[in-house]
Amino acid sequence: MGGITAFRLSTPPAVPKPSLAVIAYYAGDATAFRSYPTKGLTHIIYSFLHLQGNSLAFDKPQDKATVAALVALKAQQPQLKVMLSLGGWSGCQTCSQVFATAKGRSDFAASVKQVLRATHTDGIDLDWEYPAIAGPPGHRFAPEDRHNFTLLVQALRATLGNTYEISFAAGGFPEYLRKSVEWPAVMPLVNRVNLMSYDLVNGYSTLTGHHTPLYPSPPQQVSVDDGVRYLDSVGVAPGKIVIGAAFYARVFNHVPSAKQGLRQAGKFYKTFNYKEFTDSLSATQGFATYWDSIAQAPYAYNARRQEFATFDNPRSIRLKTQYVRTKHLGGIMFWELTGDKPQHGLLESLYEAAAQ
């Protein structure tokens, strides 16, 4: 029996308005990004490169192949910029030492220009965790890091000119915001600050809470809005502020059931990606999901296993993106692209909100 077969085409994700930066950190290989709807991205930041001596360097030859594949995307997506990130958590072990000297900063800036030219990439993102305050155990930090970071950015801008972009990843918590950066000196020289408004409750925390909330929810003050208000108070232009979203959950165990595990004693247990939520945070696994209407953030609790989970979901992603629009901020970024579902994931929720 003949007839016509109807094919239902899925609606492509809405593309954000061009004034909003949508920035993906990417730690995948040369092919994984092809599974994701990247056409609405303004930036992909490849993570990470590290210091070899005083120079920016790839760790492995396959990292260069990944960057080349990302750069090839620009032929189809002319608005896309591909940037390279230095460091990451535990990835900036010698930054304090190298950037403490004029030679170290000069050598690094020259190497950045060489690498950017060789890879046809568009800029450098500095993810030094952290200048002047404690980061990973054993990493040097010193009060003079704060000014040395300013000198580093000055050296980079002088060497790179205005052809290349410079951004940096900033801790979203008060100690970093107040002690790590000379904001009035640094911000005129960079294109944006990527506020890491996630991991605000982290692996060292002994009390549960929201790791990436939009607003303070007493007694937890630290949040996206708290960080943005601080940057505004020290004169950072709103259009240079990019807030962060998390495409992963943080899970704590040994958490008592009071308040569905929120703000209770607990021990950090593990992280897992958004693409695993359907299985890992499901009701069949024993999790019930809740919404904090003050923090504008979701959380989940498993009474049987005494586990508490904190994360972003489509609703919180949409609210963060709307916040960026309302506050006239520069954009929204997230860690990390391969944590998402390839289809109907958090990135699509972000696009939908950004296009409104």
Side-chain angles (χ1 to χ4, degrees), residues 13-14 16 22-24 33 35-44 247 274 313-314 317-318 321 332-334 336-354:
V22 180
I23 302 172
F33 66 88
S35 300
Y36 294 88
T38 59
K39 287 190 176 180
L41 296 175
T42 60
H43 296 73
I44 295 178
F247 283 22
Y274 181 71
N313 68 2
I317 290 287
R318 287 192 291 268
T321 310
I332 187 166
M333 62 84 173
F334 56 90
E336 177 266 345
L337 182 63
T338 63
D340 201 11
K341 295 178 181 178
Q343 295 181 325
H344 309 299
L346 294 179
L347 183 53
E348 292 190 24
S349 296
L350 193 163
Y351 285 161
E352 289 165 5

Side-chain angles (χ1 to χ4, degrees), residues 99-335:
F99 300 144
T101 69
K103 183 179 189 317
R105 295 187 296 268
S106 176
D107 288 351
F108 176 74
S111 74
V112 169
K113 187 172 185 178
Q114 183 178 19
V115 170
L116 295 180
R117 281 181 169 176
T119 56
H120 306 287
T121 46
D122 300 292
I124 180 73
D125 179 70
L126 302 170
D127 191 0
W128 175 0
E129 300 185 29
Y130 304 103
I133 64 172
H139 286 208
R140 188 184 103 159
F141 63 97
E144 56 267 27
D145 291 342
R146 186 171 190 252
H147 185 59
N148 289 337
F149 183 74
T150 303
L151 298 175
L152 170 65
V153 173
Q154 290 174 345
L156 282 168
R157 184 53 77 197
T159 301
L160 299 179
N162 293 322
T163 304
Y164 295 103
E165 292 195 359
I166 302 172
S167 64
F168 66 101
F173 53 95
E175 188 182 19
Y176 178 97
L177 295 171
R178 286 163 173 77
K179 295 181 180 179
S180 292
V181 178
E182 296 173 333
W183 296 101
V186 168
M187 289 310 299
L189 301 174
V190 301
N191 295 83
R192 69 193 63 83
V193 52
N194 294 333
L195 186 65
M196 293 188 289
S197 42
Y198 44 74
D199 291 342
L200 302 179
V201 170
N202 55 55
Y204 297 100
S205 300
T206 56
L207 196 69
T208 66
H210 301 294
H211 95 85
T212 181
L214 183 52
Y215 291 105
S217 178
Q220 182 178 337
Q221 179 67 25
V222 64
S223 62
V224 172
D225 187 63
D226 189 58
V228 170
R229 285 178 180 273
Y230 180 82
L231 293 177
D232 179 66
S233 76
V234 294
V236 176
K240 286 192 173 185
I241 300 172
V242 173
I243 65 169
F247 283 22
Y248 61 95
R250 283 191 168 272
V251 182
F252 291 75
N253 60 13
H254 306 298
V255 178
S257 61
K259 299 181 181 178
Q260 296 84 42
L262 183 61
R263 298 186 193 92
Q264 304 300 308
K267 182 178 180 181
F268 174 69
Y269 174 40
K270 63 180 178 181
T271 62
F272 54 81
N273 291 322
Y274 181 71
K275 62 188 176 185
E276 301 169 296
F277 280 19
T278 302
D279 295 326
S280 300
L281 279 181
S282 67
T284 56
Q285 291 287 338
F287 277 97
T289 300
Y290 304 92
W291 179 258
D292 185 330
S293 60
I294 300 175
Q296 298 288 285
Y299 61 103
Y301 184 68
N302 189 318
R304 176 170 52 85
R305 301 205 304 237
Q306 290 194 302
E307 292 178 359
F308 172 89
T310 167
F311 48 89
D312 266 323
N313 68 2
R315 183 179 181 184
S316 66
I317 290 287
R318 287 192 291 268
L319 288 167
K320 284 182 175 179
T321 310
Q322 291 164 8
Y323 176 93
V324 168
R325 286 277 184 221
T326 301
K327 298 286 187 179
H328 306 290
L329 303 183
I332 187 166
M333 62 84 173
F334 56 90
W335 180 272

